[in-house]
Amino acid sequence: MDPTTHRSAAVRDGLGVGVAVGLSGLAFGAAAIIAGLTVPQACVLSLLTFTGASQFALTGAVGAGGDLVAATAGALLLGGRNTLYGLRLAGLLRDIRGPRRLLAAHGVIDETTAVALAQPDERAARAGFTATFASLYVTWNLCTLAGAYGTSFLGDPGVLGLDTVGPAAFLAILWPRLAASKELRLLAAVAAAIALCATPFLPPGVPVLLSAAAVLVVMAR
């Protein structure tokens, strides 16, 4: 297969992944409103944070009445995995310079890393990264707006059971990774056990912070 074909296939993969995953922004928009955020706050969070697991963790802790500082720290710890992805992608994205490098750094997340590293050569990897980032960023943010705006018209979303949207979407995002790795399933079980044991004794947000710290320690090792 020639390089042009590789790049075309990478772009197709990236667009498919970006649109499919970006649709879960609907769930995040709804979860953000249920947690007490406004529509603009939900949209700014997606625009500037752009990492689904951290966003769901933050809104979940805030919605449970947790301390904002602890909730933010937990979200930052979960987002810390993107730093490790950046180390993996540094060689592939080394030709990007200036402001474009800052933009590329914003797009280093699970999905862009997976698509880029699955490609057979560097040019295809860069094409896959760019296509995934662009399509996912646009779709995620548009869906966040739609989900938040639509949910904001409901008097009490909890009456309709929409308060379960955030945890369900979070699990849906994680499930493909858990299904593919026994080690990740064990790690997730340990993190969940830490959070459950800490919940009766600590304010909302802090148990997530503790479990995230434990996960990062294992990942670093």
Side-chain angles (χ1 to χ4, degrees):
M1 189 180 293
D2 63 86
T4 301
T5 303
H6 285 316
R7 290 196 300 275
S8 298
V11 170
R12 286 195 301 271
D13 291 344
L15 292 176
V17 169
V19 172
V21 176
L23 291 174
S24 60
L26 288 166
F28 171 72
I33 298 301
I34 293 167
L37 275 66
T38 64
V39 174
Q41 286 172 334
C43 291
V44 168
L45 191 57
S46 278
L47 285 167
L48 300 183
T49 305
F50 187 53
T51 176
S54 296
Q55 291 179 229
F56 277 114
L58 176 61
T59 54
V62 170
D67 178 71
L68 183 59
V69 174
T72 302
L76 287 172
L77 279 174
L78 286 175
R81 70 193 188 284
N82 295 337
T83 303
L84 303 178
Y85 297 155
L87 295 176
R88 292 289 304 278
L89 294 178
L92 294 174
L93 305 178
R94 62 180 177 274
D95 293 333
I96 300 177
R97 295 288 184 269
R100 292 175 59 220
R101 194 171 186 84
L102 292 176
L103 181 61
H106 193 48
V108 176
I109 57 174
D110 297 325
E111 292 76 16
T112 54
T113 301
V115 172
L117 295 180
Q119 306 310 316
D121 59 66
E122 290 191 4
R123 296 182 68 182
R126 287 192 289 272
F129 174 89
T130 302
T132 308
F133 178 26
S135 59
L136 180 50
Y137 190 77
V138 171
T139 306
W140 176 265
N141 281 283
L142 289 177
C143 287
T144 294
L145 174 60
Y149 188 70
T151 306
S152 67
F153 285 102
L154 300 176
D156 184 4
V159 173
L160 301 177
L162 293 182
D163 51 337
T164 64
V165 166
F170 195 9
L171 180 59
I173 290 173
L174 293 176
W175 187 255
R177 298 170 179 80
L178 297 178
S181 171
K182 180 179 179 180
E183 289 79 8
L184 286 181
R185 289 195 297 272
L186 178 60
L187 186 57
V190 171
I194 292 173
L196 287 173
C197 292
T199 295
F201 309 103
L202 299 173
V206 177
V208 175
L209 179 62
L210 292 175
S211 61
V215 169
L216 284 181
V217 168
V218 175
M219 287 179 63
R221 292 183 61 187

